[in-house]
Amino acid sequence: MHNYIKFSIAGFVLIALFSFNTKKNEASFYKKEKVVFTDTLTWSLLGKIDYLKKADKVYGEIMFPVVNPKLKSLQGKEVTISGFIIPIDNKNYAISKNVFAACFFCGKSGPETLMGIQFKGDLPKLKTDQFVTLKGKFRYNDSDVEDWIYHIENAVITAGN
């Protein structure tokens, strides 16, 4: 008999707790939708690169990148990629697969883990290791050893600003 009373009281308390609705049910004609961009270019795909030893008139024999066909098909097309901001100098940034402490310059990664950024419009103020998502036109470079292998041009920040 005592258990029956205990269960009845517990059931009544649970029903009372879950029956209160604090949300207002109002009709809304305007709904805000959050747009989420998924990366159309991944660091995994950028990492699928080979190198070919060729002669260079300035540096002698060096390794040139051999860009995979999937990336070649993206040349000049709009892409979205996320990564960490790496400042190069006062006027240039790169986006990296890794944070600054594990970036290409520190010897922990290869050059395929960075992309040079050319922003559309004014240069934004960004912080080292700030995680951002960029949208812009993809360009690869497989011939100029003084330049990045990958670039994102006319880039705009879509998240992480």
Side-chain angles (χ1 to χ4, degrees):
M1 179 78 171
H2 291 288
N3 286 339
Y4 177 74
I5 294 172
K6 288 179 186 177
F7 285 122
S8 297
I9 292 172
F12 178 73
V13 169
L14 285 174
I15 291 171
L17 286 174
F18 290 110
S19 66
F20 292 106
N21 186 2
T22 58
K23 294 181 182 177
K24 294 182 181 179
N25 293 329
E26 296 177 1
S28 175
F29 296 104
Y30 302 102
K31 291 184 178 181
K32 287 186 179 180
E33 291 185 24
K34 185 176 181 181
V35 178
V36 177
F37 293 100
T38 57
D39 291 357
T40 57
L41 186 60
T42 64
W43 293 108
S44 174
L45 179 59
L46 292 171
K48 292 179 181 173
I49 190 167
D50 289 319
Y51 293 91
L52 179 65
K53 194 180 283 190
K54 292 195 304 189
D56 180 74
K57 56 187 167 195
V58 176
Y59 298 107
E61 196 170 76
I62 60 170
M63 303 298 279
F64 280 85
V66 179
V67 178
N68 73 56
K70 173 73 173 161
L71 288 173
K72 284 185 176 185
S73 72
L74 293 174
Q75 180 83 324
K77 297 205 172 117
E78 193 166 90
V79 295
T80 304
I81 190 162
S82 298
F84 299 94
I85 291 294
I86 305 292
I88 304 305
D89 55 31
N90 290 345
K91 296 184 181 182
N92 294 294
Y93 293 105
I95 187 166
S96 174
K97 174 183 176 182
N98 304 310
V99 295
F100 185 74
C103 77
F104 165 60
F105 301 113
C106 302
K108 307 249 187 219
S109 304
E112 70 280 356
T113 62
L114 283 172
M115 289 181 78
I117 305 170
Q118 176 210 356
F119 284 102
K120 183 177 185 177
D122 293 336
L123 187 69
K125 265 194 157 180
L126 300 168
K127 296 178 183 173
T128 301
D129 292 340
Q130 181 177 343
F131 190 80
V132 297
T133 300
L134 298 177
K135 185 176 183 179
K137 290 199 187 287
F138 175 71
R139 179 173 67 86
Y140 69 86
N141 161 44
D142 59 1
S143 58
D144 183 0
V145 297
E146 296 285 333
D147 198 5
W148 305 106
I149 297 172
Y150 304 124
H151 295 265
I152 186 162
E153 299 173 334
N154 293 323
V156 293
I157 298 172
T158 60
N161 193 6

